[in-house]
Amino acid sequence: MNQKYSIELIEEHDEVSFYSVRLEEEELSEFERFFEKFPEGSGYDDEIDVIISWLDKIGEKGALERYFRPEGRYGDGVGVIPIDVGNKLRLYCLRISDRILVLGNGGVKDAGSWQNSETLAGYVEMLIDTSRFIASRIRDGEVIIRDKKMIGNLNFTRYEKK
């Protein structure tokens, strides 16, 4: 089954622009869908607060590499927020540069690694594919990175493994 989606700007700060993945058939971005899964009182309020404080820090300082724990494959820019030990919630993202961050989805860590999690693997694999697609389009001149902006064709289709 083909999965169509786009990368959309969701928030702009002085030091960084936050983008997110939005699936073609969804009204909300993956980032918004992440937060919808953990409403206030869900038992994860403290962990959501930690993630929000990391996002605030990234908004102020930029998407610096040290703010993320690498999660994808070497060099693809896929990481996770927060890097704090002990948190069970994971928000996956794609760091394009110090000034551009693509926020994905995530959830509760329910396995030793994302590869072994039926819940989380799909979110990370989508960002790995997206990293590859964006890199290819940058090489081909279809996407241009200018400061905090990604300009060009940010619509993608991927084959979703079942």
Side-chain angles (χ1 to χ4, degrees):
M1 178 169 101
N2 285 339
Q3 184 179 50
K4 293 181 181 215
Y5 64 99
S6 59
I7 305 295
E8 300 174 346
L9 180 66
I10 56 169
E11 230 174 77
E12 207 168 337
H13 296 265
D14 288 341
E15 293 301 317
V16 69
S17 289
F18 290 138
Y19 287 79
S20 188
V21 172
R22 191 176 65 76
L23 302 176
E24 182 180 64
E25 66 279 0
E26 292 293 335
E27 192 174 311
L28 300 176
S29 72
E30 288 297 281
F31 176 65
E32 293 165 320
R33 291 176 67 207
F34 170 79
F35 282 103
E36 279 218 326
K37 290 188 273 189
F38 304 103
E40 198 167 326
S42 68
Y44 290 98
D45 293 355
D46 290 345
E47 294 199 30
I48 289 292
D49 288 347
V50 168
I51 290 170
I52 289 170
S53 76
W54 274 104
L55 291 170
D56 288 345
K57 183 175 191 170
I58 292 164
E60 288 172 25
K61 308 276 188 194
L64 307 178
E65 214 168 335
R66 66 179 172 266
Y67 295 153
F68 307 94
R69 189 174 63 243
E71 286 287 314
R73 298 188 176 94
Y74 179 77
D76 64 11
V78 176
V80 67
I81 302 170
I83 59 174
D84 305 48
V85 174
N87 274 47
K88 291 278 184 219
L89 281 189
R90 302 285 188 267
L91 173 62
Y92 294 99
C93 54
L94 174 58
R95 183 183 166 277
I96 303 294
S97 71
D98 287 353
R99 306 203 23 101
I100 298 173
L101 185 65
V102 178
L103 297 162
N105 205 326
V108 178
K109 182 179 181 187
D110 58 0
S113 69
W114 66 262
Q115 293 94 329
N116 297 326
S117 168
E118 285 186 30
T119 312
L120 302 177
Y123 302 134
V124 178
E125 288 167 1
M126 169 181 266
L127 291 173
I128 290 170
D129 288 348
T130 303
S131 173
R132 196 177 71 247
F133 297 158
I134 289 173
S136 172
R137 290 191 182 170
I138 288 171
R139 278 192 305 275
D140 295 345
E142 291 181 54
V143 170
I144 296 166
I145 304 295
R146 188 168 296 138
D147 193 34
K148 298 185 300 185
K149 298 225 182 287
M150 282 195 290
I151 303 160
N153 182 1
L154 296 173
N155 298 306
F156 305 100
T157 302
R158 69 189 279 265
Y159 178 74
E160 190 175 29
K161 302 168 196 83
K162 287 285 175 193

